[in-house]
Amino acid sequence: AEGPLLEIGCGTGFLTEEIIRRYKSNFTAIDLSDNMVSLCRSKFPQIEVLHRDGELPLGEEKYGAIFSGMCLHWFTDPKKGLANIRKALKPGGHFYFSFPNDRSYPEWDHFPLNRFLNVGLFLEEFGNVDFQEIEFRNEYNSPLDFLREMKQ
């Protein structure tokens, strides 16, 4: 679908960089962390980067595509957050996302992640959609190595 693009949870800009490279379009990135917003603003001055909670209603703007890489599992109420994302999409808009499953990142077991995200939850909110599950596997020598990679 045509229209502006939104990235929810831009973090360090790993996905942001790819979106800019591929789409070169009207693009806004948001994150809840002041530090991540500052980092992305300095790395990508050509886009708008805002301090906002992607789980809350996203305003009146309707987006042609919304991206969220490794962010949705931090939502306290994923069902409500997904409803807000769906409402922010233009008809025929696309939602591209990734999230860890119950086999992902055992190093995170002590963090308050929402481990109940699953494809069924997305189907409830978005209806009949196409999904592609891709498994990526990285191994780390230590938790510190894991955290260093997450920070990049």
Side-chain angles (χ1 to χ4, degrees):
E2 296 292 319
L5 308 177
L6 175 68
E7 180 186 11
I8 297 173
C10 58
T12 62
F14 177 78
L15 179 59
T16 311
E17 187 170 23
E18 184 64 19
I19 296 168
I20 292 168
R21 188 183 70 72
R22 284 185 184 219
Y23 296 99
K24 298 177 182 73
S25 181
N26 180 10
F27 176 43
T28 300
I30 64 173
D31 202 288
L32 189 56
S33 164
D34 288 330
N35 290 339
M36 295 297 123
V37 168
S38 295
L39 177 65
C40 278
R41 281 180 179 158
S42 67
K43 286 172 80 171
F44 311 109
Q46 70 273 37
I47 67 167
E48 183 176 31
V49 183
L50 303 173
H51 179 262
R52 290 188 51 195
D53 187 341
E55 187 171 359
L56 299 177
L58 297 168
E60 298 303 314
E61 181 91 58
K62 297 294 182 191
Y63 297 94
I66 297 176
F67 303 83
S68 183
M70 299 300 289
C71 172
L72 302 176
H73 54 284
W74 296 108
F75 283 12
T76 55
D77 186 347
K79 190 170 181 128
K80 191 173 186 179
L82 289 172
N84 290 328
I85 290 168
R86 183 186 45 76
K87 288 174 190 168
L89 281 171
K90 286 184 163 193
H94 300 280
F95 179 36
Y96 302 97
F97 61 91
S98 64
F99 63 89
N101 64 28
D102 59 353
R103 299 179 314 273
S104 302
Y105 301 115
E107 298 87 351
W108 283 6
D109 283 345
H110 62 281
F111 288 107
L113 300 177
N114 191 327
R115 293 269 189 189
F116 301 106
L117 285 174
N118 59 56
V119 171
L121 189 63
F122 291 91
L123 289 174
E124 278 180 37
E125 189 56 46
F126 289 92
N128 188 18
V129 295
D130 293 327
F131 281 93
Q132 180 180 15
E133 184 174 351
I134 301 170
E135 183 173 321
F136 294 95
R137 185 173 303 272
N138 290 336
E139 294 189 18
Y140 303 93
N141 293 325
S142 71
L144 187 57
D145 287 345
F146 166 76
L147 292 171
R148 281 187 185 119
E149 182 173 311
M150 296 304 292
K151 189 175 178 180
Q152 293 177 0

